[in-house]
């Protein structure tokens, strides 16, 4: 309680997740960046005995490195930092001995520990920092236990040997620029097994959630992603990291603040155009889809362009006002989409797909969890009903008992099969 009272006096908004240094002298926490209404936070530290808040990685974060999953070293002299870098995940360590002096560090250097590891979600370091264990993954294999010791890599497990008999779509990072402002952009392209350059493919653009997420060049066969499933059924799959994503710093991650469905939409469409220009995507067989923020962006996209022949709006926000008033997400988070919902009605209407629903002509499958409290089911219902009223081809699927994501195996299997069938119907039929 004393810690909470102290923090409440020192900072305006902070998250309850805290981390004690191993020597017990400091507590790490995340604090909202001053003067901003977005969801961005910076790393802060406060002496356990009380005192001024310090920002141990302030200069590093100011340079745009998006840090997360931060842990103390065993001797409290370093912080382990995991961060997104374009379409890769990396691990580094940073010296924070300056905390003891109470003075900011003059400079920061990240010692890189994971160059040879393609991508990973979890990791653990030995006491002497010489050995690191990763749950490392590749495009054709889910995580395996890999140990990195003195720069040498060794795989300790092979949990799914049967996967070696399956030919997966090739996953690679791609780069393009926004056609309007030349913003550098990165994303992931999955091409079908046996893909031959110069061959036009039916192509589905999958938008990630967040919007503070990012798509990466790793294993895309999880139950929550359609990428490899679609690729192994003959599709090229495009996963763009538009502005608002992790991977290019906080300025980039906040670049769609009060502009959702604006420049981020143009980022995505510039990527689609690049794939068409390269002879990869068939311009006459384009689909789009996504969950959560991806569902929101999908709905918004179909009000801005008729280039997509099929869309899937999964757990997507369609009206920012009603979403803010009934969601379990904080109003501060939802203000990211459209400002203060009670005083800036015209602004939030601009960022709500429902405002422009009459422009949508794209056949749309709407999917939602019955018990979703993050994006309540009424968001999907109103989009479905509006499309029905407009005589746009549409169906709606509701998974009973499910929240913001589908956990029951029968529902997961149905989600995969139903999504593929929807795209096949409109992108592969003559």
């Amino acid at each position: 309680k004393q810690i909470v009272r102290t923090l409440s006096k020192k900072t305006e908004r902070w998250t309850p997740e805290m981390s004690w240094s191993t020597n017990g002298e400091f507590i790490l926490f995340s604090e909202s960046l001053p003067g901003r209404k977005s969801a961005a936070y910076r790393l802060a530290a406060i002496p356990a005995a009380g005192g001024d808040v310090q920002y141990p990685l302030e200069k590093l974060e100011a340079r745009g490195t998006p840090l997360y999953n931060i842990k103390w070293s065993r001797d409290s002299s370093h912080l382990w930092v995991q961060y997104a870098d374009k379409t890769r995940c990396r691990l580094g360590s940073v010296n924070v001995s300056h905390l003891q002096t109470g003075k900011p560090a003059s400079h920061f250097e990240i010692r890189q520990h994971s160059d040879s590891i393609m991508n990973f979600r979890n990791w653990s370091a030995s006491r002497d920092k010489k050995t690191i264990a990763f749950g490392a993954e590749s495009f054709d294999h889910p995580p395996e236990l890999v140990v990195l010791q003195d720069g040498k890599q060794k795989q300790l497990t092979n949990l799914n040997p049967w996967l070696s008999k399956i030919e997966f779509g090739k996953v690679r990072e791609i780069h393009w620029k926004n056609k309007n402002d030349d913003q550098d952009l990165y994303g992931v392209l999955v091409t079908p097994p046996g893909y031959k350059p110069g061959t036009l493919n039916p192509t589905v653009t999958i938008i990630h959630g967040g919007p503070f997420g990012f798509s990466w060049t790793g294993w895309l066969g999880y139950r929550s992603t359609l990428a490899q499933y679609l690729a192994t059924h003959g599709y090229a799959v495009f996963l763009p990291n538009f502005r608002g994503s992790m991977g290019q710093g906080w300025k980039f991650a906040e670049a769609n603040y009060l502009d959702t469905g604006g420049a981020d939409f143009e980022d995505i469409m510039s990527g689609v155009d690049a794939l068409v220009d390269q002879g990869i995507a068939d311009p006459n067989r384009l689909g789009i889809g996504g969950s959560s923020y991806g569902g929101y962006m999908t709905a918004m996209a179909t009000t801005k362009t008729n280039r997509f022949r099929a869309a899937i709006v999964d757990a997507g926000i369609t009206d920012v006002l009603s979403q803010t008033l009934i969601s379990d997400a904080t109003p501060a988070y939802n203000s990211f989409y459209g400002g203060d919902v009670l005083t800036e009605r015209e602004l939030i209407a601009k960022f709500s797909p429902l405002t422009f629903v009459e422009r949508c002509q794209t056949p749309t499958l709407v999917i939602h969890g019955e018990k979703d409290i993050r994006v309540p089911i009424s968001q999907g219902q109103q989009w479905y009903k509006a499309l029905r009223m407009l005589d746009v081809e549409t169906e709606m699927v509701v998974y009973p008992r499910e929240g913001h994501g589908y956990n029951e195996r029968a529902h997961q299997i149905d989600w995969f099969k139903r999504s593929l069938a929807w795209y096949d119907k409109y992108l592969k039929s003559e």
Side-chain angles (χ1 to χ4, degrees):
K1 292 181 180 179
Q2 181 60 43
I3 294 170
V4 172
R5 283 195 293 267
T6 300
L7 285 175
S8 298
K9 293 177 182 178
K10 300 287 184 179
T11 183
E12 179 181 348
R13 186 160 64 99
W14 49 281
T15 61
E17 294 82 12
M18 302 180 190
S19 176
W20 286 77
S21 63
T22 47
N23 61 13
E25 295 183 4
F26 288 91
I27 303 168
L28 287 181
F29 64 97
S30 294
E31 178 191 64
S32 63
L33 295 172
R36 305 195 189 191
K37 294 182 179 180
S38 69
Y41 285 79
R42 61 179 172 179
L43 187 71
I46 190 169
D52 293 332
V53 176
Q54 300 180 46
Y55 303 99
L57 304 181
E58 187 169 28
K59 290 186 177 180
L60 186 62
E61 291 177 313
R63 293 208 302 265
T65 303
L67 309 173
Y68 64 100
N69 196 11
I70 300 169
K71 301 177 183 179
W72 291 95
S73 66
R74 298 279 184 169
D75 59 5
S76 299
S77 66
H78 289 72
L79 290 176
W80 292 98
V81 293
Q82 190 172 343
Y83 58 98
D85 179 15
K86 299 181 178 67
T87 66
R88 287 193 60 177
C89 182
R90 299 187 185 274
L91 177 67
S93 59
V94 182
N95 189 312
V96 289
S97 56
H98 62 282
L99 277 178
Q100 305 295 335
T101 68
K103 298 179 180 179
S106 58
H107 71 283
F108 287 103
E109 292 182 1
I110 292 184
R111 181 186 174 194
Q112 179 57 247
H113 297 274
S114 60
D115 276 344
S116 62
I117 306 294
M118 176 52 73
N119 264 318
F120 59 94
R121 295 178 185 270
N122 301 302
W123 56 272
S124 179
S126 64
R127 191 180 297 270
D128 61 6
K129 299 192 288 289
K130 293 183 178 180
T131 304
I132 308 172
F134 295 90
E137 62 181 58
S138 60
F139 80 89
D140 59 357
H141 219 81
E144 297 287 354
L145 184 59
V146 172
V147 170
L148 195 63
Q149 188 172 34
D150 295 326
K152 297 180 180 180
Q153 183 176 318
K154 183 178 181 181
Q155 183 172 325
L156 301 183
T157 62
N158 185 19
L159 302 177
N160 295 280
W162 59 276
L163 288 175
S164 62
K165 299 178 181 179
I166 298 177
E167 187 178 5
F168 290 96
K170 184 178 180 180
V171 178
R172 63 182 175 93
E173 178 181 284
I174 58 173
H175 167 256
W176 70 99
K177 290 179 179 289
N178 182 297
K179 289 186 174 181
N180 296 325
D181 61 9
D182 283 335
Q183 169 68 53
D184 283 304
L185 299 159
Y186 297 86
V188 178
L189 176 66
V190 189
T191 47
Y195 166 73
K196 296 180 180 179
T199 304
L200 291 178
N201 299 269
T203 302
V204 176
T205 298
I206 296 182
I207 315 300
H208 65 67
F212 302 107
F214 82 118
S215 295
W216 69 3
T217 47
W219 173 246
L220 298 175
Y222 290 108
R223 63 180 175 82
S224 58
T225 175
L226 291 166
Q228 276 290 1
Y229 184 69
L230 291 176
T232 54
H233 285 81
Y235 289 88
V237 183
F238 173 46
L239 301 100
N241 287 335
F242 45 89
R243 67 193 76 193
S245 307
M246 298 170 61
Q248 293 194 68
W250 276 119
K251 288 185 178 179
F252 184 81
E254 294 185 335
N256 62 345
Y257 176 53
L258 297 188
D259 189 35
T260 53
D264 51 2
F265 166 74
E266 297 298 337
D267 290 344
I268 294 166
M269 296 309 300
S270 293
V272 172
D273 288 339
L275 294 178
V276 170
D277 292 343
Q278 294 168 31
I280 297 172
D282 185 338
N284 297 313
R285 293 185 293 169
L286 299 175
I288 190 171
S291 299
S292 195
Y293 186 84
Y296 162 85
M297 180 58 74
T298 297
M300 184 65 85
T302 60
T303 70
K304 290 175 172 287
T305 179
N306 293 321
R307 292 178 62 186
F308 297 107
R309 288 181 55 184
I312 298 180
V313 175
D314 187 353
I317 296 171
T318 57
D319 177 59
V320 176
L321 174 60
S322 58
Q323 159 71 11
T324 304
L325 296 178
I326 60 179
S327 170
D328 73 332
T330 64
Y333 178 83
N334 283 312
S335 72
F336 182 87
Y337 294 89
D340 188 326
V341 298
L342 299 181
T343 61
E344 300 177 270
R345 298 292 179 86
E346 291 185 7
L347 182 63
I348 66 165
K350 176 182 176 182
F351 302 126
S352 296
L354 198 61
T355 304
F356 312 103
V357 66
E358 73 279 2
R359 301 176 185 173
C360 176
Q361 299 177 23
T362 307
T364 302
L365 174 63
V366 180
I367 304 177
H368 228 101
E370 177 191 26
K371 302 296 184 181
D372 193 342
I373 59 175
R374 178 57 46 85
V375 180
I377 191 174
S378 56
Q379 295 292 307
Q381 289 170 329
Q382 59 191 356
W383 193 250
Y384 167 71
K385 188 170 184 178
L387 295 183
R388 285 286 302 272
M389 293 171 66
L390 293 167
D391 292 326
V392 176
E393 295 179 75
T394 183
E395 294 179 8
M396 184 169 185
V397 177
V398 177
Y399 292 123
R401 302 175 297 280
E402 298 284 17
H404 199 58
Y406 313 125
N407 296 313
E408 296 185 27
R409 180 168 175 78
H411 295 159
Q412 294 166 3
I413 294 172
D414 183 81
W415 178 70
F416 273 85
K417 291 183 175 181
R418 195 179 295 271
S419 297
L420 176 65
W422 188 260
Y423 288 128
D424 280 352
K425 179 179 179 180
Y426 296 99
L427 303 186
K428 287 191 173 181
S429 58
E430 296 297 332

